[in-house]
């Protein structure tokens, strides 16, 4: 399956329709690993695919050109969803030189025996002429690995953007104007929230550098190729990387015998008593994926986290969510901790300590009730919801 992006430039990647787990990213709609072939006087392959799909990639290339005609393979990013097939691909391309930056080479050397590979190291500002077209390189460190790099074809105003602007979505079409834009942006947001969030500053630097390029097509390594809605995805990345928030509060909790659920409901009631227009997401930690939770967190202006107590700690799903959220380094948001316990305390206390550890302000003292919530603990959660809503409206 091949699609022509520009004259002589083709998509030759792999659609992974039924992948549902991508190192814990819940890929509910599948994924693609995008590779591209640039045919000119010289021929370049831009990125590869996951290792098991190397045969399909090679077949796609062979439908366009003999494998010995490939002069260059560009590795914009060595993570195995793009670099995994590199050894198998290079083995079948007898005349190809690998173009990558020094950090990328080091990562590839960690995965493969590269001693027999022909490698040419490139850096920002370097250019390789293919004939009528040029490959120009722009290193984009930590968007989202140290080796990350863009490859730009100035004559075509075409940017191969690696993971940036990508989405985990398997489709039978390749371009953004062939699919629902809201659906693409939902998946782009999930991708950003779960993969890119810790690197907002680096994203902004990259976008600043990229703003000097004339671009009419962005071809990422995952999902649909942007040719119509480029301003929409650039605006979205500008907002997400600047930690822009919506009028939105995430209540995330887990409960054992529904006491913490009742407290979560009180927080919700407190929020709604102030405003019915705030977007509240009431998420049960065991009934939502970490992927959904992180996506909702991205533009939330405040949070309330609650847990029942198991073995003097928060419930496992809640603890996992806290670990995941901490790692993603979301911008600080005002928060509230609550929870219930029976004969041994710990759930609410652990969450409150977590807020302290990552230095997010707590709106009021945490609420920890024994057995069933009483009027006092319910009123405290209602009041915390009210305070969170006021903070969101006044931000
Ligand atoms: Fe799609 Fe960072 O790999």
């Amino acid at each position: 399956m091949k699609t022509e992006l520009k004259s002589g430039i083709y998509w030759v990647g792999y659609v992974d329709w039924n992948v549902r787990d991508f190192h814990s990213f819940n890929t509910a709609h599948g994924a693609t690993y995008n590779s591209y072939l640039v045919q000119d006087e010289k021929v370049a392959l831009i990125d590869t695919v996951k290792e098991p799909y190397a045969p399909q990639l090679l077949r796609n290339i062979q439908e366009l050109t003999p494998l010995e005609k490939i002069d260059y393979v560009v590795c914009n990013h060595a993570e195995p969803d793009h670099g995994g097939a590199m050894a198998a691909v290079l083995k079948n391309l007898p005349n190809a030189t690998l173009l990558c930056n020094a950090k990328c080479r080091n990562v590839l050397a960690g995965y493969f025996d590269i001693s027999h590979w022909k490698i040419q190291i490139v850096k920002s500002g370097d250019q390789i002429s293919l004939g009528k077209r040029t490959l120009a390189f722009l290193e984009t460190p930590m968007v989202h690995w140290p080796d990350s790099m863009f490859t730009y074809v100035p004559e075509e105003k075409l940017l191969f953007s690696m993971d940036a602007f990508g989405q985990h979505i398997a489709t039978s079409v390749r371009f953004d104007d062939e699919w629902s834009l809201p659906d693409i942006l939902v998946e782009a947001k999930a991708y950003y929230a779960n993969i890119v969030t810790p690197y907002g500053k680096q994203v902004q630097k990259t976008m600043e550098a990229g703003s000097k390029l004339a671009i009419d097509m962005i071809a990422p390594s995952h999902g649909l190729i942007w040719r119509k809605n480029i301003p929409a995805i650039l605006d979205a990345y500008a907002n997400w990387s600047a930690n822009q928030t919506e009028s939105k509060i995430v209540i995330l909790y887990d409960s054992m015998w529904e006491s913490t659920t009742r407290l979560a409901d009180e927080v919700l009631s407190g929020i709604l008593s102030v405003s019915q227009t705030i977007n509240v997401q009431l998420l049960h930690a065991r009934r939502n994926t970490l992927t959904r939770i992180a996506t909702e967190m991205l533009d939330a202006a405040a949070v309330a986290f609650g847990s029942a107590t198991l073995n003097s700690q928060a419930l496992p799903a809640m603890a996992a969510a806290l670990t995941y959220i901490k790692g993603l380094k979301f911008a600080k948001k005002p928060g509230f901790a609550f929870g219930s316990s029976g004969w041994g305390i710990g759930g609410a206390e652990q969450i409150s300590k977590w807020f302290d550890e990552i230095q997010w302000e707590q709106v009021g003292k945490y609420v920890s009730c024994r057995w069933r919530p009483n009027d006092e603990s319910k009123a405290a959660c209602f009041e915390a919801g009210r305070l969170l809503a006021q903070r969101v409206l006044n931000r």
Side-chain angles (χ1 to χ4, degrees), residues 95-125:
N95 299 311
T97 297
L98 174 64
L99 303 175
C100 64
N101 62 44
K103 289 174 186 158
C104 185
R105 177 195 53 194
N106 293 343
V107 176
L108 290 168
Y111 283 114
F112 305 106
D113 173 7
I114 66 168
S115 57
H116 54 293
W117 293 5
K118 286 179 282 182
I119 301 177
Q120 183 174 340
I121 297 299
V122 296
K123 60 183 186 311
S124 285

Side-chain angles (χ1 to χ4, degrees), residues 22 77 79 81-82 144-145 162-163 168 191 195 221-222:
F22 194 102
H77 175 33
E79 191 166 7
D81 50 328
H82 311 295
H144 67 121
W145 272 25
M162 178 257 318
D163 282 334
H168 279 321
Y191 193 90
I195 305 281
S221 295
H222 296 290

Side-chain angles (χ1 to χ4, degrees), residues 277-318:
T277 62
I278 292 175
N279 172 4
V280 185
Q281 292 293 319
L282 183 69
L283 302 175
H284 191 293
R286 264 180 291 144
R287 296 176 197 149
N288 290 278
T289 63
L290 291 173
T291 306
R292 165 85 195 282
I293 290 166
T295 305
E296 296 295 351
M297 284 287 298
L298 179 64
D299 52 7
V303 299
F305 292 164
S307 181
T309 303
L310 180 68
N311 299 325
S312 306
Q313 302 187 76
L315 287 170
M318 198 61 208

Side-chain angles (χ1 to χ4, degrees), residues 26-56:
N26 172 245
T27 47
H29 304 289
T32 73
Y33 319 113
N34 295 341
S35 297
Y36 303 97
L37 194 71
V38 183
Q39 290 184 302
D40 206 306
E41 291 161 30
K42 290 183 179 291
V43 180
L45 176 69
I46 312 291
D47 292 317
T48 70
V49 293
K50 274 187 178 174
E51 191 275 335
Y53 311 122
Q56 183 63 55

